[in-house]
Amino acid sequence: MSTTPPVLAAELAQAWSEIQRNHPELPDLAAPESLIGESSSACGAELSFERLLHEAVHGIAAARGVRDTSRAGRYHNRRFLAIAEELGLDHPEEPHASSGFSLVTLNAEARRRYRPTIERLQRALKAHTVATAADTKRSFRGPAARHGSSGGGVRVKAVCDCGRNVRVVPSVLAQAPIVCGGCGKPFRIPETVGAAS
């Protein structure tokens, strides 16, 4: 098995397709590589199948027009929890004070249903970890990594030619292009003139 990031992105896309097979209303995952290295305390810092299923809950909520979070996406409400339960995720009775019902875990049925997918994704994640651990110190890892933070790096605005923008960790964008669904062109980090804000 290759240990390059594109292999992990392909495994993430395949795992997403497996979830879609069971939940057809789940939209396509536009950029699987955008999940690699991304950190969010509200959604879970570690990339795993459980985290992918968590993100699928947000995807289904968006497809249904359901507002599943508040407080800038940090607090996961009971509408999030209801969809999470549909996808095979459980949560303790009481919500977390700051993140609500974000701390969901796979239930036994979902673990059985997705077992081969979980095992494939774990192998790809392990290979990716080995490959990136061997990375040189010259590789750009983002401000958080340079300062010893456990986060995935600071997100910056990346833009495409049609004017759309996304927030992304620069090291994630450097791994592979993230393509705009509107115009089909890759997002890029614009060069700034003068001091950074």
Side-chain angles (χ1 to χ4, degrees):
M1 172 187 284
S2 171
T3 58
T4 59
V7 171
L8 178 53
E11 286 296 339
L12 286 166
Q14 180 63 35
W16 192 265
S17 294
E18 291 292 327
I19 299 168
Q20 282 180 310
R21 199 165 290 131
N22 291 294
H23 304 280
E25 68 184 306
L26 177 63
D28 291 339
L29 182 60
E33 61 274 5
S34 68
L35 293 173
I36 302 169
E38 182 178 317
S39 177
S40 167
S41 59
C43 296
E46 184 180 336
L47 185 56
S48 64
F49 183 77
E50 197 168 76
R51 166 83 188 279
L52 196 62
L53 206 55
H54 176 124
E55 296 300 334
V57 173
H58 291 304
I60 289 176
R64 293 178 182 174
V66 171
R67 186 165 181 221
D68 63 341
T69 63
S70 59
R71 300 180 196 166
R74 290 185 309 274
Y75 192 88
H76 294 58
N77 59 35
R78 290 194 183 275
R79 291 182 292 274
F80 170 86
L81 181 59
I83 298 170
E85 288 171 349
E86 290 177 38
L87 271 67
L89 293 165
D90 288 334
H91 189 279
E93 286 293 317
E94 295 300 315
H96 185 274
S98 63
S99 63
F101 293 100
S102 71
L103 305 174
V104 289
T105 57
L106 273 174
N107 67 27
E109 181 185 336
R111 197 173 300 282
R112 276 191 303 276
R113 178 186 313 135
Y114 293 112
R115 184 176 174 202
T117 304
I118 291 167
E119 290 172 354
R120 273 195 330 271
L121 186 57
Q122 284 175 334
R123 284 192 300 271
L125 285 165
K126 184 177 179 182
H128 176 73
T129 300
V130 168
T132 55
D135 220 350
T136 68
K137 289 185 178 182
R138 293 185 48 163
S139 296
F140 179 73
R141 307 295 282 170
R146 286 197 311 271
H147 299 293
S149 169
S150 61
V154 174
R155 294 182 194 151
V156 297
K157 183 165 71 171
V159 298
C160 73
D161 291 340
C162 71
R164 296 179 72 212
N165 65 69
V166 295
R167 292 260 176 212
V168 64
V169 177
S171 60
V172 171
L173 192 58
Q175 292 171 2
I178 297 174
V179 179
C180 175
C183 70
K185 294 185 179 175
F187 284 95
R188 60 183 168 66
I189 298 171
E191 291 183 28
T192 56
V193 178
S197 57

